[in-house]
Structures are given as structure tokens and as C-alpha cells.
Amino acid sequence: MQEMQRISPTFYVEAGLHEITFRVKASVPGGEQYPRLSKISLHRDGESMKSKEKYIYRFGDHAAEGDESMRDLLGGKGAGLAEMTRLSIPVPPGFTIGANACRYCLKHGDLPAEFAGELAAAVCRLEESVGRKFNDERNPLLVSVRSGAAVSMPGMMDTILNVGLNDENVVGLAERHGSLRFALDSYRRLLQMFGSVVLGVPKRRFDATLDSVRDECLIGAGAELDETALEQVIERFKHAIEQHAGRPFPMDPREQLDMAVCAVIESWKNERAQHYRKIHNISDDLGTAVTVQSMVFGNFGNDSGTGVGFTRNPSTGEHVLFGEFLSNAQGEDIVAGSHTPTPIAELALAMPEIYRQLVDITSRLEAHYGDIQDFEFTVQKGKLFLLQTRSAKRSACAAIRAAVEMVEEGLISRAEAIRRVPTDAITEILSPQLDLSAVKMQPIARGLAASPSSATGQIVLTSERAVHLAGKHRENPVILVRQETTADDIQGMHASVGFLTARGGATSHAAVVARGMGKCCITGASGIEVDEAAGTARVGNCELREGDWISLDGATGRVFQGKLPLRSSEAADMHLETLRTWARETPNAKVRANADTPEDARRARQHGAVGIGLCRTEHMFFAPDRLPQMRAMVLASTLEQRQKALDTLLPIQQADFEEIFHVMAGLPVTIRLIDPPLHEFLPDREEVKEQITQASSHGTSAEEISRLEGVLQRIGQLSEVNPMMGHRGCRLGITYPEIIAMQVKAILQAAIKVGTSGIEVEPEIMIPLVSCVEEIRHLRNAIEIAAKEVFQQQEKTVPYRLGAMIELPRAAMCAASIARETDFLSFGTNDLTQMTYGFSRDDARKFIDAYLELGILQDDPFVTLDQEGVGALISLAIREARSAKKSIKIGVCGEHGGDPRSIKFFRSVCVDYVSCSPARIPLAQLAMAQASLEHAL
């Protein structure tokens, strides 16, 4: 056995060795060195005895390997280079180390044993391909080492250029290319990148050295360093490296390469890359490929340069070549922002032939990939090279415009356009957003982004103040800040442009109302204390008073102090509407609306909803002119009192249903029978006590005091320890059948009246919070009796369907028996999640953030459906229900019906429709279309 620092496959094959041990030294910040030991077992012909897995693939020459289909292995960069080679596009030769090597390293803490031999062989092939060798003092091979995962992570991982330069061959490089300054500048870049990425020298150390030399040599910040200055920089860089890392910069080009490859692989685990993956839901197990590519130089003079570009404007989607070019520079000069580039269009004047070639090549690439391309290129002494192509990151506006226009240009199909546009692009375009482009400030608080638009306004702490300060015509924008909101706040919520609450989750009262209204809402924001009496609110470390301005970034849950500007979308309505039309026309992509009022129904119809999937009848009474009647019904202690209140409520409900049926003409309307957690409609106990005290002290009549005392007593009787699991849903209808009778009469009388005007009406009556089939049978009988009475009185009939809302685990388990007694089922995923987890959705914010941070939960289950638990119940229920009644219609009406990832699951288990808040319908339509297209494959 022979020990050596690097190996040559020619040497060990000719020597007939069967096993080689090699050692690569690497350094970590602080200067500690550690050996990386590996063994390779070989046949005499060089074939590995341990593994047949291949780790390295070449590109850029006649023997290129791989193509775009190998993106998971080669990463986006490597796959793009391989594909461009296949298309005969000029690409500097090199090779890609597959992501399988990184995954192996992540799992085992080291690269595979056979990797070193494969790397050595790849280097030899590259040397033969370009006609240069590592450490050739007269004509050295220099390479770049770059990361590249299958999913684009721009700027998250590290790049090292000019690997292979040292004190000896830098002179040969200068002589070969006739420029000492060029060679020294390339060496300076290597030391700076290698020192930072591989040896952990802080970048500020190099920046400070550059500034120091510039000052000493009286060279301006924008001017180029001359040869003398570069020589000083190089020596000081080498000194900084040795001082910080505890070892000199490696002069052996192969050691540089080995260490650079290891460092780029290690950069997969750096903090910024991990954070990027977390916010974009990219798996940590994916790993990165590493591209090693022979250098081409844009810093050769005025006939050279570097550029980045896009085949279409990534901000607007306009079909025009867009980008920047920098003459006599290397790639990182543009990326780092240290130089001011010129628009790429000016390349047409400076280098017309290069520009023509670039337009031709990038047009071919866009047509080949059928997508906007983000490309990098270098011009070396008048010759063009493409260094990268990948699908471009783009704004929401650009994503939609480009997708639609590419269909019109024949590049992609409608289905592909639907698949390509991210669902959050719809939300971004339709929601006003804070303009943070010129703002450098930190948020004063963070919470849950419960409704995605943004808002800026003056703080108000009560509903009454919101109405007063907003003004009659809502001319003053106000933001309602509360510990939590209740039904009593509805007036103030209507007057406000946004809500901020200290408590509550994604399905809390504030969140549900905000989404229904299409307003900004941040809930569960820690560090908020509201003092209504003092008129102050502590938000984070800031004490604010009513009238102070704050701004809410509903897309991220951030709260800013002050009045920040809002920017409206400049998206072309034509392109958005075209895409939405295609989405609605996709088979099996039905989206209904959760709409509780005629106004909600109108908005839903405008957005193209195919019906109402949930009309919550108790929400019809949140309005201040209706709340007293609803409260009277709830507080009634006798049948006579309750019937009197119901007689008042019936015409109100019937009028609303008539208007809703008119708006939704020809479309189904699912009306959930009343399901109020009673505490939402009870007066505040302490307020009533205070009223009694004041009444007694002011000589109020004994009759009024007795009435107030009766109200207080009734509040005590109706108060529940756990109201969300208390006297609500179908239980209320069973114990108080007169309530159900009133609602059924209101629904059917409205349907008959609207139907007589020639409008097609499709009422669907839904029983809430069922747990067993016996509840369904009992209430079905009561509903049929009430319906029969209406039909006899009106001397007309109207068809209606009867269904159940599946919100409890037991109902899901018993779906077969429930299906036999119903015409449709609809999953209320908010309560189903709450009941399955045993989490209170309004209180869980206290620990869910910690669960997410610790990785106990991957997603907030009240935002994105828990497929493993809740999803399993839904899947089982659908399977059992359809086995009992094949024709039964099944929908989803919980807030998960507006979440794209949840929608994907719902479509996979073949729900007939999803239903969500009107403001989320456009997003849900696109998500449902995408899920239906995927399901059809």
C-alpha cells in the first residue's frame, strides 16, 4: 500500500495496485487541520470493487454525459450545462459531481471511498479536453467550483473561481495571455473566494485589506487596481489567510480542488442555505451537486466581459431580452454589486456579433425549455461562452404574463401554463402589498399571516373607536388592535383596513372574518398588550397610542411602526383573467365559496365560484342591527320567549336567503343550520355586572335592575367550560327544535319565492357537528316536518338536498352509515383538525410556534392539512361513504379549502369541490386546476 496526498488513475493502474489510501488535508475556521482518509479498492483495470455507483459526469465536449432529465442528480446547473452541450451551445468543458455524493456525505460524514479515484480520472479527462494541465507553469488549467441543487437556490451556496492558480503558474498565465494585471487580478479573486469559502476567513477582512491598499496607493473606489497594488493585495491576502486559518494558502492545485469541492458540499449546510430551504419548503435531504468547469475569463480587456440575463423581463414578463453586462470583469463583479453594469441592450452596440449570437442562443434555450431562462455568459477575447441556464425566478406579474403569452406563441399548452404559475402569485397580485423597497427598518412584532393582503393605518383599540375614527365614508384607514376579536367587534372590523390580535390562529374569529372580507389580518402576535382604558398598546418594545400609525405585512406576519406606502399590482388584468378562465375550465376543478351574506355571495360570483359550499347562518346576525335579536333568542329561557325571538329572526333570514339565491342563480347553495358556540353571542359578564352596579346607584327602576339580573343569571346558566365542544351544532337543534324549524322555513320559503320568478334555485341544507347517524335521523325527521308545513302553506314545493358536516373523528369513522341518510357530505376541516389533535385552534398559538421551531410539527395543522392524521380520517370517510352510496357528493368547506397544499390532497382523494372565503377563490381555482391536472396524469 502506498500513501499519498493525491492519486493518479494512470499511476495506480500501471502499478497494479489493488488498494490505495489517500489523504486530503482540509482546514476549518480557526486553523485546525484534519485529515480526510479514504480507501479505494480497485481491480487491475481500475473498476471499483466496492460500488458501481457513478458520481461524476462530464460536459462541454464530444464525450458529454447526462441531460436535463438528470436534474435530481446533476442539479439545475449541471443539468443545464449537459443539455446545452447536447444543443451544441458553446459551454466551457468541465464535469459535475452528482448530488448523490453530497447525500452520501450528509449521511456518513465523508465522501464515498471510490470518489477520489473518480475525481482524479475526471480531472485527467478535463486536462485532455482543454489541452492544459493543473500546475502547468506555462499554461495552467484553472477551474471554477460551483454548487447547484435540483431546486434553484440563488445566492445561497458558495462559488470559487480560478482554482488552480499559485505563485508559480500565475507568471505563466500572465505570459500566456500577455497581461500581468489580468493574472494577478485572477489570483486575487481566488485568494479572496477560497479564503472565505474554504478557510473561513471573514469576508470583511478581505474588504478591509482592499480598502487599505486603495487608500495607500491613492486609488479611487471605482478605479481598477494596478499591478503594484494587486501584488500588495495578494501578499496581504495570503498573510490574512495564514493568520486566520493557521496554515498557508495551498499552492498545490489538486489540494485546492479537493478542498474547494468539500467546502462547496459543506455549504449545503450553511445557515443561509438552511433558512432558504425552510421558507421555500425544500428538503434538507436533497443535497447539492458540484460543477467543476474550466475557466473562461471576462477580465481580459475591453473585448471581454461577463453578463447575466433573462429571456424575458422577470419583473413584467415582457418578451424582451433583459439583463446586464460588464466589460473586462468576472462573474461575481455583477453579482456582488461592486461595479455598475450596463443594460444588456448596449451590448448590441459594443459587440454586435456577440449580441446577435446571444439573442439566437437564448431564444433557442427558451424554446427548448418552454420557459423564461436565467442565463450567465462570459465573453473571452471576442468569443461567447454560456456558463449557466435555468428557469428564471420571476415576479407574480411576470409569471402570469409569460405563461399566457407562451401559450399564445405555441411554446407551451394551457395545462402547462396552469401548472407553471405558483398559486401565491395570484394572492400577491390581488392583494395590496407594503412597498418595502426603500425602507430599512426592522419589524416591531411578528404573528401569523392569517390573511395575505397588507395594510397601513392608525391604531384603534375598540370597535367603537374604529367606526368613529374611520369616518362615515371610511376616509381614514384604521387598524383594529385587540387581544382577540369577538362578534361584537364586527362593526369596527368592517370599518378597519386590517386587524392585529395578540391571540388566535389561522381559523380564529379575526382570521375568518378577515379572509371573508378580503382584509389584512395578523393573529397570534406575541408581545402585544392592549390597555383600552389608557388608550395604549404595547407592540413589541414600542408603546403606541390610539391614532399612531402602524403597517401590517399580511404576506409575512410582520408589523412595522409608522405609515409605510402600499403598492398596487401593475399586473395586466387581461393575462390574469385569461389564466383564471383556463383554470376554471379545467375538468374536476370546482371551487365554491364560504359566503354568509349577499355581499359575500356577490363577490364569490364575481370570482367565478361554482356555488356556495358553506353559508354559516349564525354569521348573518353579527351585524349590529341584528345582534340584539340573535342575543334575545340565545338568552331566552322559555319556549315562548324563544319563539318570539325566532319570529323576529325568520323574515331577516328569509330576506338574506332570497338575495343569496338571486345572486347564485342556477348554482348550489349549501346552508349550514345554526352552529353558534353560545359564548360568541352572550353579553360580557363583567359589563352586565357593571350595568347593574350603575343602575342601582342611579336609581334605575327595579324592573330594569331585575331584567339585568336575569340576564346575568342566564349568562351563568349558558356559560360553558369548553364552549367549542359544548351546546352547539346539531345538539342545539335537537334540544331546541323550534330553531331548526325556523331556519328550514326561511330557506324553503325563500327558495319558493325566488323560484317563482323563473330563477333556478338549488338549496342544500347541512346539519353541523354530527357524531352519529341517530342525530341525522332525528333532525332529518324534524326538517321534513318543517318542509312539509312550508309546502302545504305555499302550495308549492322545491327540491332540496340534505347533508351532513363531518367535523368530528367519530363522524368520519361512521361515514358509511351517515352517507346512507344524506345526499352530500362536507368536511369542516377546522373543527376536524381541532378535535383530532386535541388542540384548541384559538389557544394553540402558545405552543405551535415552538413545535414548528423544534421540528415537532412540519406545518401549522390549522393552515395546511395534516395528511397523516386528519387526512387519513378524511380518506377513510370518503372511501366508506362512497362504498355505501356511490353517487354521494363530497366537498370540503374548512379553511384548508383555500390552501394549495391541502387542495392537492383533497383532489387526490377525489372530493367533488372545495369551498373557501371569497378572497381566496382565485388562488383556490388555480390550485384545484393544478391538482386536477396532476391527478389526471
Side-chain angles (χ1 to χ4, degrees):
M1 185 187 299
Q2 184 173 351
E3 183 171 294
M4 54 185 65
Q5 191 168 12
R6 66 179 188 271
I7 57 174
S8 165
T10 304
F11 171 79
Y12 64 68
V13 171
E14 290 181 354
L17 295 176
H18 290 268
E19 187 175 88
I20 295 174
T21 301
F22 67 94
R23 184 185 302 270
V24 177
K25 290 184 178 180
S27 300
V28 296
E32 180 184 358
Q33 295 187 14
Y34 62 94
R36 187 181 293 271
L37 291 174
S38 295
K39 289 185 178 180
I40 308 172
S41 296
L42 302 168
H43 291 300
R44 293 186 63 86
D45 61 1
E47 181 184 2
S48 171
M49 297 169 62
K50 285 191 174 182
S51 172
K52 299 282 187 183
E53 187 161 12
K54 181 178 176 66
Y55 292 101
I56 298 179
Y57 298 79
R58 65 195 295 185
F59 60 81
D61 58 22
H62 67 281
E65 303 166 297
D67 56 35
E68 178 62 28
S69 67
M70 299 170 66
R71 175 174 290 268
D72 287 348
L73 177 64
L74 302 180
K77 190 182 300 291
L81 288 164
E83 192 73 4
M84 285 194 290
T85 301
R86 290 181 62 249
L87 297 173
S88 300
I89 290 171
V91 170
F95 54 85
T96 298
I97 299 167
N100 53 343
C102 179
R103 291 192 288 265
Y104 184 99
C105 191
L106 291 172
K107 182 177 181 180
H108 300 285
D110 202 349
L111 289 164
E114 59 270 32
F115 175 77
E118 196 172 343
L119 178 60
V123 170
C124 287
R125 289 194 299 266
L126 180 57
E127 289 175 331
E128 294 171 2
S129 177
V130 300
R132 298 190 297 276
K133 291 184 176 294
F134 265 130
N135 211 18
D136 185 324
E137 293 187 5
R138 300 187 62 185
N139 188 23
L141 167 64
L142 305 182
V143 298
S144 63
V145 182
R146 305 172 188 260
S147 62
V151 179
S152 178
M153 296 171 55
M156 292 302 107
M157 293 176 291
D158 297 308
T159 294
I160 307 168
L161 302 181
N162 307 322
V163 172
L165 265 179
N166 58 27
D167 288 350
E168 286 74 32
N169 62 29
V170 70
V171 178
L173 182 69
E175 293 177 350
R176 177 76 178 179
H177 297 290
S179 172
L180 178 59
R181 190 202 170 278
F182 153 72
L184 293 173
D185 185 50
S186 299
Y187 197 15
R188 183 268 304 176
R189 294 170 189 269
L190 169 63
L191 291 168
Q192 188 169 352
M193 291 179 163
F194 193 95
S196 174
V197 174
V198 180
L199 300 178
V201 182
K203 292 180 181 178
R204 63 180 178 275
R205 181 81 177 266
F206 296 117
D207 293 339
T209 299
L210 276 171
D211 292 341
S212 176
V213 172
R214 285 183 182 278
D215 291 342
E216 292 172 14
C217 298
L218 302 178
I219 298 173
E224 294 181 345
L225 299 174
D226 60 22
E227 294 168 5
T228 302
L230 284 169
E231 287 174 342
Q232 291 186 44
V233 168
I234 288 168
E235 290 307 312
R236 294 188 191 185
F237 275 10
K238 287 193 290 187
H239 176 71
I241 288 171
E242 185 162 7
Q243 186 180 52
H244 183 88
R247 60 151 297 165
F249 172 76
M251 291 295 160
D252 182 349
R254 275 304 313 276
E255 186 178 3
Q256 291 178 23
L257 178 62
D258 291 337
M259 293 174 69
V261 167
C262 289
V264 172
I265 288 175
E266 285 293 312
S267 74
W268 176 257
K269 298 186 288 187
N270 72 38
E271 186 175 345
R272 67 177 185 268
Q274 291 185 56
H275 183 69
Y276 185 92
R277 292 196 295 273
K278 183 176 181 180
I279 63 176
H280 289 280
N281 295 307
I282 300 171
S283 171
D284 285 334
D285 298 329
L286 192 64
T288 181
V290 180
T291 298
V292 178
Q293 189 171 27
S294 56
M295 288 293 303
V296 287
F297 300 97
N299 56 336
F300 254 134
N302 292 330
D303 61 349
S304 303
T306 187
V308 295
F310 301 84
T311 53
R312 299 182 192 227
N313 188 310
S315 295
T316 67
E318 182 184 3
H319 194 178
V320 60
L321 198 64
F322 180 90
E324 296 172 323
F325 178 76
L326 193 58
S327 64
N328 195 24
Q330 282 195 290
E332 92 274 9
D333 292 330
I334 287 184
V335 177
S338 55
H339 296 70
T340 303
T342 59
I344 202 168
E346 293 187 17
L347 187 62
L349 300 175
M351 301 180 186
E353 179 57 24
I354 293 294
Y355 184 78
R356 187 196 62 75
Q357 292 177 35
L358 189 64
V359 170
D360 177 65
I361 289 172
T362 55
S363 297
R364 287 169 55 202
L365 286 172
E366 183 179 88
H368 178 73
Y369 284 102
D371 197 9
I372 305 176
Q373 293 301 290
D374 168 2
F375 57 87
E376 295 180 16
F377 65 97
T378 289
V379 180
Q380 177 177 295
K381 291 186 175 180
K383 185 173 181 181
L384 175 67
F385 295 91
L386 267 288
L387 306 182
Q388 172 177 284
T389 191
R390 61 186 176 189
S391 292
K393 301 289 184 182
R394 65 207 74 178
S395 71
C397 175
I400 292 171
R401 176 174 176 175
V404 171
E405 290 187 351
M406 283 183 172
V407 172
E408 295 168 350
E409 293 163 16
L411 291 178
I412 61 175
S413 65
R414 288 187 179 184
E416 178 57 31
I418 291 170
R419 280 192 288 261
R420 179 169 296 171
V421 175
T423 52
D424 56 8
I426 302 291
T427 305
E428 182 180 334
I429 282 182
L430 295 179
S431 303
Q433 302 295 324
L434 293 183
D435 186 357
L436 299 172
S437 58
V439 177
K440 304 294 182 184
M441 64 169 59
Q442 294 298 314
I444 58 174
R446 292 177 184 268
L448 179 69
S451 189
S453 61
S454 294
T456 185
Q458 293 175 276
I459 288 177
V460 289
L461 305 181
T462 67
S463 179
E464 293 76 13
R465 285 288 295 159
V467 173
H468 175 73
L469 191 57
K472 185 175 181 180
H473 300 292
R474 310 284 188 260
E475 60 268 22
N476 300 318
V478 297
I479 292 176
L480 182 61
V481 180
R482 304 280 284 158
Q483 291 298 117
E484 60 186 343
T485 61
T486 68
D488 287 335
D489 292 317
I490 195 69
Q491 230 179 337
M493 297 173 83
H494 181 62
S496 303
V497 296
F499 324 133
L500 172 64
T501 67
R503 293 195 288 267
T507 54
S508 65
H509 177 266
V512 171
V513 172
R515 286 191 290 268
M517 291 181 172
K519 295 187 177 184
C520 177
C521 179
I522 296 175
T523 62
S526 58
I528 292 182
E529 297 177 9
V530 177
D531 187 339
E532 292 181 23
T536 62
R538 176 163 288 280
V539 182
N541 294 323
C542 299
E543 184 162 319
L544 306 173
R545 302 193 65 82
E546 280 197 325
D548 289 345
W549 286 82
I550 63 170
S551 300
L552 308 182
D553 185 359
T556 64
R558 295 179 297 174
V559 182
F560 295 91
Q561 186 176 9
K563 183 180 181 180
L564 302 186
L566 285 170
R567 59 173 174 81
S568 58
S569 169
E570 297 178 358
D573 292 338
M574 175 185 66
H575 297 108
L576 177 58
E577 209 39 58
T578 298
L579 184 75
R580 290 185 57 202
T581 299
W582 295 344
R584 290 194 295 269
E585 292 173 352
T586 303
N588 302 312
K590 296 179 180 178
V591 176
R592 296 194 192 184
N594 295 346
D596 308 324
T597 65
E599 291 76 18
D600 290 342
R602 273 187 281 273
R603 289 174 58 208
R605 192 78 193 238
Q606 289 168 358
H607 282 312
V610 297
I612 291 177
L614 176 63
C615 177
R616 293 159 288 204
T617 51
E618 67 278 0
H619 283 201
M620 294 176 166
F621 299 99
F622 282 158
D625 59 333
R626 300 181 177 194
L627 194 57
Q629 291 94 325
M630 183 66 174
R631 187 164 281 171
M633 191 273 288
V634 171
L635 291 172
S637 56
T638 67
L639 175 60
E640 182 180 7
Q641 292 174 340
R642 190 173 304 107
Q643 191 61 58
K644 182 179 178 181
L646 290 171
D647 290 344
T648 304
L649 292 174
L650 190 150
I652 297 174
Q653 285 226 305
Q654 180 174 332
D656 279 349
F657 291 141
E658 288 175 13
E659 195 168 351
I660 289 172
F661 289 146
H662 270 288
V663 173
M664 304 304 292
L667 298 176
V669 177
T670 302
I671 300 168
R672 183 179 75 183
L673 297 176
I674 195 165
D675 180 22
L678 294 182
H679 71 286
E680 291 187 2
F681 290 96
L682 293 177
D684 183 85
R685 186 196 300 264
E686 297 305 316
E687 287 183 5
V688 176
K689 285 183 179 180
E690 179 63 24
Q691 290 173 9
I692 293 173
T693 301
Q694 291 183 2
S696 300
S697 63
H698 288 82
T700 306
S701 68
E703 182 180 357
E704 176 61 15
I705 293 175
S706 177
R707 186 191 69 80
L708 289 172
E709 289 175 340
V711 169
L712 185 63
Q713 181 182 16
R714 187 62 176 152
I715 291 172
Q717 292 170 349
L718 293 175
S719 294
E720 297 176 307
V721 175
N722 191 344
M724 295 304 291
M725 297 178 70
H727 195 184
R728 54 172 290 213
C730 66
R731 304 156 197 168
L732 193 65
I734 289 172
T735 53
Y736 300 118
E738 58 273 16
I739 298 176
I740 298 301
M742 181 277 289
Q743 290 200 297
V744 171
K745 289 178 182 179
I747 294 168
L748 296 182
Q749 286 174 182
I752 289 172
K753 185 173 180 179
V754 173
T756 57
S757 63
I759 294 175
E760 185 181 349
V761 181
E762 293 187 38
E764 299 180 341
I765 300 173
M766 183 161 65
I767 301 172
L769 211 71
V770 299
S771 60
C772 60
V773 70
E774 288 76 12
E775 291 170 325
I776 298 287
R777 290 175 181 145
H778 182 92
L779 288 173
R780 181 172 198 128
N781 182 60
I783 290 167
E784 288 174 348
I785 291 172
K788 184 176 180 181
E789 182 180 340
V790 169
F791 296 156
Q792 288 175 344
Q793 289 176 351
Q794 300 291 321
E795 296 182 345
K796 289 182 181 178
T797 63
V798 64
Y800 66 92
R801 299 185 186 93
L802 183 65
M805 196 168 180
I806 306 298
E807 303 167 83
L808 303 176
R810 191 181 191 282
M813 299 297 290
C814 300
S817 60
I818 292 173
R820 294 187 186 98
E821 299 291 332
T822 53
D823 303 311
F824 67 91
L825 301 177
S826 183
F827 289 96
T829 54
N830 303 344
D831 267 332
L832 186 57
T833 297
Q834 180 173 235
M835 300 296 185
T836 303
Y837 269 100
F839 291 172
S840 165
R841 65 175 181 253
D842 292 319
D843 299 322
R845 186 56 43 199
K846 297 173 183 175
F847 57 85
I848 278 186
D849 286 343
Y851 272 40
L852 294 170
E853 186 69 28
L854 293 169
I856 295 171
L857 290 175
Q858 296 303 310
D859 298 290
D860 184 335
F862 294 108
V863 175
T864 297
L865 188 84
D866 159 45
Q867 296 184 25
E868 184 180 13
V870 181
L873 283 172
I874 292 173
S875 181
L876 171 67
I878 291 174
R879 187 166 62 249
E880 292 298 310
R882 288 205 165 118
S883 69
K885 183 180 286 187
K886 189 175 182 180
S887 62
I888 194 165
K889 183 165 56 177
I890 297 176
V892 171
C893 61
E895 280 301 306
H896 297 95
D899 173 65
R901 283 195 287 159
S902 304
I903 287 172
K904 184 177 180 179
F905 168 78
F906 296 139
R907 189 66 198 92
S908 73
V909 294
C910 299
V911 301
D912 294 302
Y913 65 87
V914 297
S915 187
C916 62
S917 305
R920 301 179 81 181
I921 288 173
L923 176 149
Q925 287 169 334
L926 180 60
M928 194 65 167
Q930 290 174 344
S932 295
L933 290 169
E934 182 176 336
H935 185 68
L937 293 177

